[in-house]
DNA sequence: GGCCGGTTATTAATATAATTCATAATGTTC
DNA sequence: GAACATTATGAATTATATTAATAACCGGCC
């Protein structure tokens, strides 16, 4: 039984996507090539690697075993490549970094400027998106920075820093509606990422169980920047990470509606696959972030 | 950089043997093929894998890194193959077992009879030789059973059982030479694997520092069986593992010259490469040996 | 030095294998 | 059952690996 790395790579991609065509696209070859490769691999392994029940594709028992081996193999080789690059005094490779749109575009890029200049051996590519976990699991991203709590197995989680949320509006809006306590929010327009206002959960949880307002008017806006702009226009109150509105608060265009309210803070984490946490470039990047990020 | 398993295998074999021609023989291809493969690998790795100083071949820094990765990779794949075989209900593969000539040919084969019959899914091939460690490190053997103390790194050592040594001679020889105490051996012919009688070290160490005989006549015989036969012929006294002469002692053709002397016992160990200790077939074999071997 | 036995590198020809294109087969959805 | 999307297959093409032959190299030796 003589395995072949190319075939294993094809198998690995198919296993991750459960889709031959997509795997082929990822590898920049035709679907036919992937099909041939996997078929040949199944012949050398003397057994089916995928269960093809109807059109549903899933890994067979053998396939699962081989998949785990592939992780080991590819990560070992990746690490070796990095080590060899370093030994030859060449670049440490690239990192595909994922982050949420708002945080990534405004903050992360700024924070990483120093790193990218001081360590040009590491090429960083950014992808800002709301969906981060799945691409990470499919190896389309190497590291993601997210304040969500992901718990997929085989994931390594590095706490980076905390973010603080604030309730914002323009001064005039607060005055006109007579907003003094959280309960008053039930009477005015509330801006939220989602219609069900789960976005405000963190705010509501910070209030005593009895005193939580029932929002009568929730306006959905799918982007944080839109919420901020709407608040600036005096359309309603928003609930956003403080770093997003630092400037607006400073020059008084927006006010922190409840400055004395102690809100729960969200943690920002970096996630990476556990097997790749040993990569030098990953360590370097995260070390930098841990050391050089100001508290938001 | 797209690595290739075949090239890695070639590199790995060259690294183990430090000899392209030998690696080629091991892989059943021409030396040219190996040379091409390694050259191509060096091109994809963008660096020399071997240092070719004069005709001396050695691993470069990059080569060392890649070598370790190869160990990880090949052992991971080997384990996956075994797992997949098991999942498909097929054989667990083969073990190349090494042991010392005397012990292996007379005892080990006997002990393993039951295992080979009860577990036909595991094919065991034997190699009896005095040199065991080097073939193990080169992956020519999978497990070796040896009473020597090997300390190479990355080796896993499993204690199996103890062997007891005895001083033997024919009764008539003992009587004629008037051998009563260890000191008397200085006067008669001593049979030893080596001319310097290091072979007898274990015996001498068991005596009080003052009372150790100085052998005046050492006859070298390179095989234990030869020593036993020589002793049977009344040529001298021998020093051999008890299991080798169990029968001769029982039917009184030989006598235990110093039955009350408490000799140090040698331990028998199984050695295998640490990375492969997780292989199911290895574990099964060693478990069997640990459970089913009588004390020698 | 010059020759020998051992090695590794190189070249061009050959053999082998992988990729594609085109298309068939299969399954899903409405 | 037609339209769509998927995966499998076969033959032609392309790319790659292997070989045989041979050159180049090294170290030891007379």
């Amino acid at each position: 039984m003589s395995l072949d790395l190319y075939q294993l790579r094809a198998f690995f991609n198919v296993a991750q996507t459960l889709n031959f065509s997509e795997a082929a696209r990822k590898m920049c070859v035709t679907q036919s090539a992937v099909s041939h490769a996997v078929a040949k691999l199944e012949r050398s392994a003397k057994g089916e690697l995928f269960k093809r029940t109807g059109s549903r594709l899933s890994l067979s028992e053998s396939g699962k075993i081989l998949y785990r081996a592939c992780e080991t193999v590819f990560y070992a080789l990746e690490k070796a490549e990095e080590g060899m690059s370093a030994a030859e005094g060449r670049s440490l490779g690239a990192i595909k970094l994922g982050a949420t749109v708002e945080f990534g575009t405004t903050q992360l890029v700024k924070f990483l400027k120093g790193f990218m200049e001081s360590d040009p051996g590491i090429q960083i590519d950014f992808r800002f998106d709301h969906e981060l976990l799945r691409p990470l699991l499919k190896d389309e991203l190497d590291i993601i920075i997210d304040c969500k709590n992901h718990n997929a197995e085989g994931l390594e989680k590095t706490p980076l820093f905390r973010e603080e949320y604030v309730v914002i509006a323009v001064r005039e809006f607060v005055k006109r509606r007579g907003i003094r306590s959280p309960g008053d929010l039930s009477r005015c327009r509330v801006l939220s990422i989602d219609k069900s206002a789960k976005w405000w959960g963190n705010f509501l949880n910070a209030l005593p169980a009895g005193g939580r307002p029932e929002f009568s008017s929730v306006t959905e806006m799918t982007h944080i920047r839109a919420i901020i702009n709407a608040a600036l226009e005096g359309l309603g109150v928003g609930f956003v990470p403080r770093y997003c509105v630092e400037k607006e608060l400073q020059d008084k265009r927006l006010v922190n509606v409840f400055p004395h309210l102690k809100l729960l803070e969200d943690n920002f984490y970096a996630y990476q696959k556990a097997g790749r946490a040993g990569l030098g470039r990953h360590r370097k990047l995260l070390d930098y972030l841990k050391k050089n990020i100001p508290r938001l």
Coordinates of all heavy atoms in Angstrom, one line a residue, chain C:
Chain C
dG1 P 49.0 14.6 -9.0 OP1 48.5 16.0 -8.7 OP2 48.1 13.4 -8.8 O5' 49.6 14.5 -10.4 C5' 51.0 14.2 -10.5 C4' 51.2 12.8 -10.9 O4' 51.5 12.0 -9.8 C3' 50.0 12.1 -11.6 O3' 50.5 11.4 -12.8 C2' 49.5 11.1 -10.6 C1' 50.7 10.8 -9.8 N9 50.4 10.5 -8.4 C8 50.1 11.3 -7.4 N7 49.8 10.8 -6.2 C5 50.0 9.4 -6.5 C6 49.9 8.3 -5.6 O6 49.6 8.3 -4.4 N1 50.1 7.1 -6.3 C2 50.5 7.0 -7.6 N2 50.7 5.8 -8.0 N3 50.6 8.0 -8.4 C4 50.4 9.2 -7.8
dG2 P 49.5 11.2 -14.0 OP1 50.3 11.2 -15.3 OP2 48.4 12.2 -13.9 O5' 49.0 9.7 -13.8 C5' 49.9 8.7 -13.7 C4' 49.2 7.4 -13.2 O4' 48.9 7.5 -11.8 C3' 47.8 7.3 -13.9 O3' 47.6 5.9 -14.1 C2' 46.8 7.8 -12.8 C1' 47.5 7.3 -11.6 N9 47.2 8.0 -10.3 C8 46.9 9.3 -10.2 N7 46.7 9.7 -8.9 C5 46.8 8.5 -8.2 C6 46.7 8.2 -6.8 O6 46.4 9.0 -6.0 N1 46.9 6.9 -6.5 C2 47.2 5.9 -7.5 N2 47.3 4.7 -7.0 N3 47.3 6.2 -8.8 C4 47.1 7.5 -9.1
dC3 P 46.5 5.4 -15.2 OP1 47.3 4.9 -16.3 OP2 45.5 6.5 -15.3 O5' 45.8 4.2 -14.4 C5' 46.7 3.2 -13.7 C4' 45.9 2.7 -12.5 O4' 45.8 3.7 -11.5 C3' 44.4 2.3 -12.9 O3' 44.2 1.0 -12.5 C2' 43.5 3.3 -12.1 C1' 44.5 3.6 -10.9 N1 44.2 4.9 -10.2 C2 44.1 4.9 -8.8 O2 44.2 3.8 -8.2 N3 43.8 6.1 -8.2 C4 43.7 7.2 -8.9 N4 43.4 8.3 -8.2 C5 43.8 7.2 -10.3 C6 44.1 6.1 -10.9
dC4 P 42.9 0.2 -13.0 OP1 43.4 -1.1 -13.5 OP2 42.1 1.1 -13.8 O5' 42.2 -0.1 -11.6 C5' 42.9 -0.6 -10.5 C4' 42.0 -0.5 -9.3 O4' 42.0 0.9 -8.8 C3' 40.5 -0.8 -9.5 O3' 40.1 -1.8 -8.6 C2' 39.8 0.5 -9.4 C1' 40.7 1.3 -8.5 N1 40.6 2.8 -8.7 C2 40.5 3.6 -7.6 O2 40.6 3.1 -6.4 N3 40.5 5.0 -7.8 C4 40.4 5.5 -9.0 N4 40.4 6.8 -9.1 C5 40.5 4.7 -10.2 C6 40.6 3.3 -10.0
dG5 P 38.8 -2.6 -8.9 OP1 39.2 -4.1 -8.7 OP2 38.2 -2.2 -10.2 O5' 37.8 -2.2 -7.7 C5' 38.2 -2.4 -6.4 C4' 37.3 -1.5 -5.5 O4' 37.6 -0.1 -5.9 C3' 35.8 -1.7 -5.8 O3' 35.2 -1.9 -4.5 C2' 35.4 -0.4 -6.4 C1' 36.4 0.6 -6.0 N9 36.6 1.7 -7.0 C8 36.7 1.5 -8.4 N7 36.9 2.6 -9.0 C5 36.9 3.6 -8.0 C6 37.1 5.0 -8.1 O6 37.2 5.7 -9.1 N1 37.0 5.6 -6.8 C2 36.8 4.9 -5.6 N2 36.8 5.7 -4.5 N3 36.7 3.6 -5.5 C4 36.7 3.0 -6.7
dG6 P 33.6 -2.3 -4.5 OP1 33.4 -3.3 -3.4 OP2 33.2 -2.7 -5.9 O5' 32.9 -0.9 -4.2 C5' 33.0 -0.4 -2.9 C4' 32.8 1.1 -2.9 O4' 33.6 1.6 -4.0 C3' 31.4 1.6 -3.4 O3' 30.5 1.5 -2.3 C2' 31.7 3.0 -3.7 C1' 33.1 3.0 -4.2 N9 33.3 3.2 -5.6 C8 33.3 2.3 -6.7 N7 33.4 2.9 -7.9 C5 33.5 4.3 -7.6 C6 33.7 5.4 -8.4 O6 33.8 5.4 -9.6 N1 33.7 6.6 -7.7 C2 33.6 6.7 -6.3 N2 33.6 7.9 -5.8 N3 33.5 5.7 -5.5 C4 33.4 4.5 -6.2
dT7 P 29.0 1.7 -2.5 OP1 28.3 1.5 -1.2 OP2 28.6 1.0 -3.7 O5' 28.8 3.3 -2.9 C5' 28.9 4.3 -1.9 C4' 29.2 5.6 -2.5 O4' 30.1 5.4 -3.7 C3' 28.0 6.3 -3.2 O3' 27.3 7.0 -2.2 C2' 28.7 7.3 -4.1 C1' 30.0 6.6 -4.5 N1 30.1 6.2 -5.9 C2 30.2 7.1 -6.9 O2 30.3 8.3 -6.6 N3 30.3 6.6 -8.2 C4 30.3 5.3 -8.5 O4 30.3 5.0 -9.7 C5 30.1 4.4 -7.5 C7 30.0 2.9 -7.8 C6 30.0 4.8 -6.2
dT8 P 25.8 7.4 -2.5 OP1 25.3 8.0 -1.2 OP2 25.1 6.4 -3.2 O5' 26.0 8.7 -3.5 C5' 26.6 9.9 -3.1 C4' 26.6 10.8 -4.2 O4' 27.3 10.2 -5.3 C3' 25.3 11.3 -4.7 O3' 25.3 12.7 -4.9 C2' 25.1 10.6 -6.0 C1' 26.5 10.4 -6.5 N1 26.8 9.3 -7.4 C2 27.2 9.6 -8.7 O2 27.5 10.7 -9.1 N3 27.4 8.4 -9.5 C4 27.2 7.1 -9.1 O4 27.4 6.2 -9.9 C5 26.7 6.9 -7.8 C7 26.4 5.6 -7.3 C6 26.5 8.0 -7.0
dA9 P 24.1 13.5 -5.4 OP1 24.0 14.9 -4.8 OP2 22.9 12.7 -5.4 O5' 24.5 13.7 -7.0 C5' 25.6 14.5 -7.3 C4' 25.7 14.8 -8.8 O4' 25.9 13.6 -9.5 C3' 24.4 15.4 -9.4 O3' 24.8 16.5 -10.2 C2' 23.8 14.3 -10.1 C1' 25.0 13.4 -10.5 N9 24.7 12.0 -10.5 C8 24.1 11.2 -9.5 N7 24.0 10.0 -9.8 C5 24.5 9.8 -11.0 C6 24.7 8.7 -11.9 N6 24.4 7.5 -11.6 N1 25.3 9.0 -13.1 C2 25.6 10.2 -13.4 N3 25.5 11.3 -12.7 C4 25.0 11.1 -11.5
dT10 P 23.7 17.4 -11.0 OP1 24.3 18.7 -11.2 OP2 22.4 17.2 -10.3 O5' 23.7 16.7 -12.4 C5' 24.9 16.4 -13.1 C4' 24.6 15.9 -14.5 O4' 24.5 14.4 -14.4 C3' 23.4 16.4 -15.2 O3' 23.7 16.8 -16.5 C2' 22.4 15.2 -15.2 C1' 23.4 14.0 -15.2 N1 22.9 12.7 -14.6 C2 23.1 11.6 -15.3 O2 23.7 11.5 -16.4 N3 22.7 10.4 -14.7 C4 22.0 10.4 -13.5 O4 21.6 9.3 -13.0 C5 21.8 11.6 -12.8 C7 21.1 11.7 -11.5 C6 22.3 12.7 -13.4
dT11 P 22.8 17.7 -17.3 OP1 23.6 18.8 -17.8 OP2 21.5 18.0 -16.5 O5' 22.3 16.8 -18.5 C5' 23.3 16.1 -19.3 C4' 22.7 14.9 -20.0 O4' 22.5 13.9 -19.1 C3' 21.4 15.2 -20.6 O3' 21.6 15.3 -22.0 C2' 20.5 14.0 -20.3 C1' 21.4 13.1 -19.6 N1 20.8 12.3 -18.4 C2 20.8 10.9 -18.5 O2 21.2 10.3 -19.4 N3 20.2 10.4 -17.4 C4 19.7 11.0 -16.3 O4 19.2 10.4 -15.3 C5 19.7 12.5 -16.3 C7 19.2 13.3 -15.2 C6 20.3 13.0 -17.4
dA12 P 20.4 15.9 -22.9 OP1 21.0 16.7 -24.0 OP2 19.3 16.5 -22.1 O5' 19.8 14.5 -23.5 C5' 20.7 13.5 -24.0 C4' 19.9 12.2 -24.2 O4' 19.6 11.6 -23.0 C3' 18.6 12.4 -25.0 O3' 18.5 11.3 -25.9 C2' 17.6 12.4 -23.9 C1' 18.2 11.4 -22.9 N9 17.7 11.6 -21.5 C8 17.4 12.8 -20.9 N7 17.1 12.6 -19.6 C5 17.2 11.2 -19.4 C6 16.9 10.4 -18.3 N6 16.6 10.9 -17.1 N1 17.1 9.1 -18.4 C2 17.5 8.6 -19.6 N3 17.7 9.3 -20.8 C4 17.6 10.6 -20.6
dA13 P 17.2 11.2 -26.8 OP1 17.6 10.9 -28.2 OP2 16.2 12.3 -26.5 O5' 16.5 9.8 -26.2 C5' 17.4 8.7 -26.2 C4' 16.6 7.5 -25.5 O4' 16.3 7.8 -24.1 C3' 15.2 7.3 -26.2 O3' 15.0 5.9 -26.4 C2' 14.2 7.9 -25.2 C1' 15.0 7.7 -23.9 N9 14.6 8.8 -22.9 C8 14.5 10.1 -23.1 N7 14.2 10.8 -22.0 C5 14.1 9.9 -21.0 C6 13.9 10.0 -19.7 N6 13.6 11.1 -19.0 N1 13.9 8.8 -19.0 C2 14.1 7.7 -19.6 N3 14.4 7.4 -20.9 C4 14.4 8.6 -21.5
dT14 P 13.6 5.3 -26.8 OP1 13.8 4.1 -27.6 OP2 12.8 6.5 -27.4 O5' 12.9 4.9 -25.4 C5' 13.6 4.0 -24.5 C4' 12.7 3.8 -23.3 O4' 12.6 5.1 -22.6 C3' 11.3 3.4 -23.6 O3' 11.1 2.1 -23.0 C2' 10.4 4.5 -23.0 C1' 11.3 5.2 -22.1 N1 11.1 6.6 -21.8 C2 10.9 7.0 -20.5 O2 10.9 6.3 -19.5 N3 10.7 8.4 -20.3 C4 10.6 9.3 -21.3 O4 10.4 10.5 -21.1 C5 10.8 8.8 -22.7 C7 10.8 9.8 -23.8 C6 11.1 7.5 -22.8
dA15 P 9.8 1.3 -23.0 OP1 10.1 -0.1 -23.0 OP2 8.9 1.9 -24.1 O5' 9.1 1.7 -21.6 C5' 9.9 1.5 -20.4 C4' 9.1 2.0 -19.2 O4' 9.0 3.5 -19.3 C3' 7.7 1.5 -19.2 O3' 7.4 1.1 -17.8 C2' 6.8 2.7 -19.6 C1' 7.7 3.9 -19.1 N9 7.5 5.1 -19.9 C8 7.5 5.2 -21.2 N7 7.4 6.5 -21.6 C5 7.3 7.2 -20.4 C6 7.1 8.6 -20.2 N6 7.0 9.5 -21.1 N1 7.0 9.0 -18.9 C2 7.1 8.0 -17.9 N3 7.3 6.7 -18.1 C4 7.4 6.4 -19.4
dT16 P 6.0 0.4 -17.4 OP1 6.4 -0.7 -16.5 OP2 5.2 0.2 -18.6 O5' 5.4 1.5 -16.6 C5' 6.2 2.2 -15.6 C4' 5.4 3.4 -15.1 O4' 5.4 4.5 -16.1 C3' 3.9 3.2 -14.8 O3' 3.7 3.4 -13.5 C2' 3.2 4.1 -15.8 C1' 4.2 5.2 -16.0 N1 4.1 6.0 -17.2 C2 4.1 7.4 -17.2 O2 4.2 8.0 -16.1 N3 4.0 8.0 -18.4 C4 3.8 7.4 -19.6 O4 3.8 8.1 -20.6 C5 3.8 6.0 -19.6 C7 3.7 5.3 -20.9 C6 4.0 5.3 -18.4
dA17 P 2.3 3.1 -12.8 OP1 2.5 2.6 -11.5 OP2 1.4 2.5 -13.8 O5' 1.8 4.6 -12.6 C5' 2.7 5.6 -12.1 C4' 2.1 7.0 -12.3 O4' 2.1 7.4 -13.7 C3' 0.6 7.1 -11.9 O3' 0.5 8.1 -11.0 C2' -0.2 7.3 -13.2 C1' 0.9 8.0 -14.1 N9 0.7 7.7 -15.5 C8 0.6 6.5 -16.1 N7 0.5 6.6 -17.4 C5 0.5 8.0 -17.7 C6 0.5 8.7 -18.9 N6 0.3 8.2 -20.1 N1 0.6 10.1 -18.7 C2 0.8 10.6 -17.5 N3 0.8 10.0 -16.4 C4 0.7 8.7 -16.5
dA18 P -0.9 8.5 -10.4 OP1 -0.7 8.8 -8.9 OP2 -1.9 7.6 -10.8 O5' -1.2 9.9 -11.1 C5' -0.2 10.9 -11.0 C4' -0.6 12.2 -11.8 O4' -0.7 11.8 -13.2 C3' -2.0 12.7 -11.3 O3' -1.9 14.1 -11.4 C2' -2.9 12.1 -12.4 C1' -2.0 12.1 -13.6 N9 -2.3 11.0 -14.6 C8 -2.5 9.7 -14.3 N7 -2.7 9.0 -15.4 C5 -2.7 9.9 -16.4 C6 -2.8 9.8 -17.8 N6 -3.1 8.6 -18.4 N1 -2.7 10.9 -18.6 C2 -2.5 12.1 -18.0 N3 -2.3 12.3 -16.7 C4 -2.4 11.2 -16.0
dT19 P -3.1 15.0 -10.9 OP1 -2.5 16.2 -10.2 OP2 -4.1 14.2 -10.2 O5' -3.7 15.5 -12.3 C5' -3.0 16.4 -13.1 C4' -3.8 16.8 -14.3 O4' -3.9 15.6 -15.1 C3' -5.2 17.2 -14.0 O3' -5.4 18.6 -14.4 C2' -6.1 16.2 -14.8 C1' -5.1 15.5 -15.8 N1 -5.4 14.1 -16.0 C2 -5.5 13.6 -17.3 O2 -5.4 14.4 -18.3 N3 -5.8 12.3 -17.4 C4 -5.9 11.4 -16.4 O4 -6.2 10.2 -16.7 C5 -5.8 11.9 -15.1 C7 -6.0 11.0 -13.9 C6 -5.6 13.2 -15.0
dT20 P -6.7 19.3 -14.3 OP1 -6.5 20.7 -14.1 OP2 -7.6 18.5 -13.4 O5' -7.3 19.1 -15.8 C5' -6.5 19.4 -16.9 C4' -7.1 18.9 -18.2 O4' -7.1 17.4 -18.1 C3' -8.5 19.3 -18.4 O3' -8.6 20.1 -19.5 C2' -9.3 18.0 -18.6 C1' -8.2 16.9 -18.8 N1 -8.5 15.6 -18.2 C2 -8.6 14.5 -19.1 O2 -8.5 14.6 -20.3 N3 -8.9 13.3 -18.5 C4 -9.0 13.1 -17.1 O4 -9.2 12.0 -16.7 C5 -8.9 14.3 -16.3 C7 -9.0 14.1 -14.8 C6 -8.7 15.4 -16.9
dC21 P -9.8 21.1 -19.8 OP1 -9.4 22.3 -20.4 OP2 -10.7 21.1 -18.5 O5' -10.7 20.2 -20.9 C5' -10.0 19.7 -22.0 C4' -10.9 18.7 -22.8 O4' -10.9 17.5 -22.1 C3' -12.3 19.2 -22.9 O3' -12.8 19.0 -24.2 C2' -13.1 18.3 -21.9 C1' -12.2 17.0 -21.9 N1 -12.2 16.2 -20.7 C2 -12.1 14.8 -20.8 O2 -12.0 14.3 -21.9 N3 -12.1 14.1 -19.6 C4 -12.2 14.7 -18.4 N4 -12.2 13.9 -17.3 C5 -12.3 16.1 -18.3 C6 -12.3 16.8 -19.5
dA22 P -14.1 19.6 -24.7 OP1 -13.9 20.1 -26.1 OP2 -14.7 20.5 -23.7 O5' -15.1 18.3 -24.8 C5' -14.5 17.1 -25.4 C4' -15.4 15.9 -25.0 O4' -15.1 15.5 -23.7 C3' -16.9 16.2 -25.1 O3' -17.5 15.2 -25.8 C2' -17.3 16.3 -23.6 C1' -16.3 15.2 -23.0 N9 -16.1 15.3 -21.6 C8 -16.0 16.5 -20.8 N7 -15.8 16.3 -19.6 C5 -15.7 14.9 -19.5 C6 -15.6 14.0 -18.4 N6 -15.4 14.4 -17.1 N1 -15.5 12.7 -18.6 C2 -15.7 12.3 -19.9 N3 -15.9 13.0 -21.0 C4 -15.9 14.3 -20.7
dT23 P -19.1 15.3 -26.1 OP1 -19.3 14.8 -27.4 OP2 -19.6 16.6 -25.6 O5' -19.7 14.2 -25.0 C5' -19.0 12.9 -24.9 C4' -19.5 12.2 -23.7 O4' -18.9 12.7 -22.5 C3' -21.0 12.3 -23.5 O3' -21.6 11.0 -23.3 C2' -21.2 13.1 -22.3 C1' -19.9 12.7 -21.5 N1 -19.5 13.5 -20.4 C2 -19.2 12.8 -19.2 O2 -19.2 11.6 -19.1 N3 -18.9 13.7 -18.2 C4 -18.8 15.1 -18.2 O4 -18.5 15.7 -17.2 C5 -19.2 15.7 -19.5 C7 -19.2 17.2 -19.6 C6 -19.6 14.9 -20.5
dA24 P -23.1 10.7 -23.6 OP1 -23.2 10.2 -25.0 OP2 -23.9 11.8 -23.2 O5' -23.3 9.4 -22.7 C5' -22.2 8.5 -22.4 C4' -22.2 8.1 -21.0 O4' -21.7 9.2 -20.2 C3' -23.6 7.7 -20.4 O3' -23.5 6.5 -19.8 C2' -23.9 8.8 -19.5 C1' -22.5 9.3 -19.0 N9 -22.5 10.7 -18.6 C8 -22.7 11.8 -19.3 N7 -22.6 13.0 -18.7 C5 -22.2 12.6 -17.4 C6 -21.8 13.3 -16.3 N6 -21.9 14.6 -16.2 N1 -21.5 12.6 -15.2 C2 -21.4 11.2 -15.3 N3 -21.7 10.5 -16.3 C4 -22.1 11.2 -17.4
dA25 P -24.8 5.7 -19.4 OP1 -24.6 4.3 -19.6 OP2 -26.0 6.4 -20.0 O5' -24.9 6.0 -17.8 C5' -23.8 5.6 -17.0 C4' -24.0 6.2 -15.6 O4' -23.8 7.6 -15.7 C3' -25.3 6.0 -15.0 O3' -25.2 5.3 -13.8 C2' -25.9 7.4 -14.8 C1' -24.7 8.2 -14.8 N9 -24.9 9.6 -15.2 C8 -25.4 10.0 -16.4 N7 -25.4 11.4 -16.5 C5 -25.0 11.8 -15.3 C6 -24.8 13.1 -14.7 N6 -25.1 14.2 -15.4 N1 -24.3 13.2 -13.5 C2 -24.0 12.0 -12.8 N3 -24.1 10.8 -13.2 C4 -24.6 10.7 -14.5
dT26 P -26.5 4.7 -13.1 OP1 -26.0 3.4 -12.5 OP2 -27.6 4.7 -14.0 O5' -26.7 5.7 -11.9 C5' -25.6 6.1 -11.0 C4' -26.0 7.4 -10.3 O4' -26.0 8.5 -11.2 C3' -27.4 7.4 -9.7 O3' -27.3 7.2 -8.3 C2' -28.0 8.7 -10.0 C1' -26.8 9.5 -10.7 N1 -27.2 10.5 -11.7 C2 -27.0 11.8 -11.4 O2 -26.6 12.2 -10.3 N3 -27.4 12.6 -12.4 C4 -27.9 12.3 -13.6 O4 -28.2 13.2 -14.5 C5 -28.1 10.9 -13.9 C7 -28.6 10.4 -15.2 C6 -27.7 10.0 -12.9
dG27 P -28.6 7.0 -7.5 OP1 -28.3 6.1 -6.3 OP2 -29.7 6.5 -8.4 O5' -28.9 8.4 -7.0 C5' -27.9 9.2 -6.3 C4' -28.3 10.6 -6.1 O4' -28.4 11.2 -7.4 C3' -29.7 10.8 -5.5 O3' -29.6 11.8 -4.5 C2' -30.6 11.2 -6.6 C1' -29.6 12.0 -7.5 N9 -30.0 12.1 -8.9 C8 -30.3 11.1 -9.8 N7 -30.6 11.5 -11.0 C5 -30.5 12.9 -10.9 C6 -30.7 13.9 -11.9 O6 -31.0 13.8 -13.0 N1 -30.5 15.2 -11.3 C2 -30.1 15.4 -10.0 N2 -29.9 16.7 -9.7 N3 -29.9 14.5 -9.1 C4 -30.1 13.3 -9.6
dT28 P -30.8 12.0 -3.5 OP1 -30.3 11.7 -2.2 OP2 -32.0 11.4 -4.0 O5' -31.0 13.6 -3.5 C5' -30.3 14.4 -4.5 C4' -30.9 15.8 -4.6 O4' -31.3 16.0 -6.0 C3' -32.2 16.0 -3.8 O3' -32.3 17.3 -3.4 C2' -33.3 15.6 -4.9 C1' -32.6 16.2 -6.1 N1 -33.0 15.5 -7.4 C2 -33.2 16.3 -8.5 O2 -33.1 17.5 -8.6 N3 -33.5 15.5 -9.7 C4 -33.7 14.2 -9.8 O4 -34.0 13.6 -10.8 C5 -33.5 13.4 -8.5 C7 -33.6 11.9 -8.6 C6 -33.1 14.1 -7.4
dT29 P -33.4 17.8 -2.5 OP1 -32.8 18.7 -1.5 OP2 -34.3 16.7 -2.1 O5' -34.2 18.8 -3.5 C5' -33.5 19.7 -4.4 C4' -34.5 20.3 -5.3 O4' -34.8 19.5 -6.5 C3' -35.9 20.6 -4.7 O3' -36.3 21.9 -4.9 C2' -36.8 19.6 -5.4 C1' -36.1 19.4 -6.7 N1 -36.4 18.1 -7.4 C2 -36.5 18.1 -8.8 O2 -36.4 19.0 -9.5 N3 -36.7 16.8 -9.3 C4 -36.7 15.6 -8.6 O4 -36.9 14.5 -9.1 C5 -36.6 15.7 -7.1 C7 -36.6 14.5 -6.3 C6 -36.4 17.0 -6.6
dC30 P -37.4 22.6 -4.1 OP1 -36.9 23.9 -3.6 OP2 -38.0 21.6 -3.2 O5' -38.5 22.9 -5.2 C5' -38.1 23.5 -6.4 C4' -39.0 23.2 -7.5 O4' -38.9 21.8 -7.9 C3' -40.5 23.4 -7.2 O3' -41.1 24.3 -8.1 C2' -41.1 22.0 -7.3 C1' -40.1 21.3 -8.2 N1 -40.1 19.8 -8.0 C2 -40.0 19.0 -9.2 O2 -39.9 19.5 -10.3 N3 -39.9 17.6 -9.0 C4 -40.0 17.1 -7.7 N4 -39.9 15.8 -7.6 C5 -40.1 17.9 -6.6 C6 -40.2 19.3 -6.8

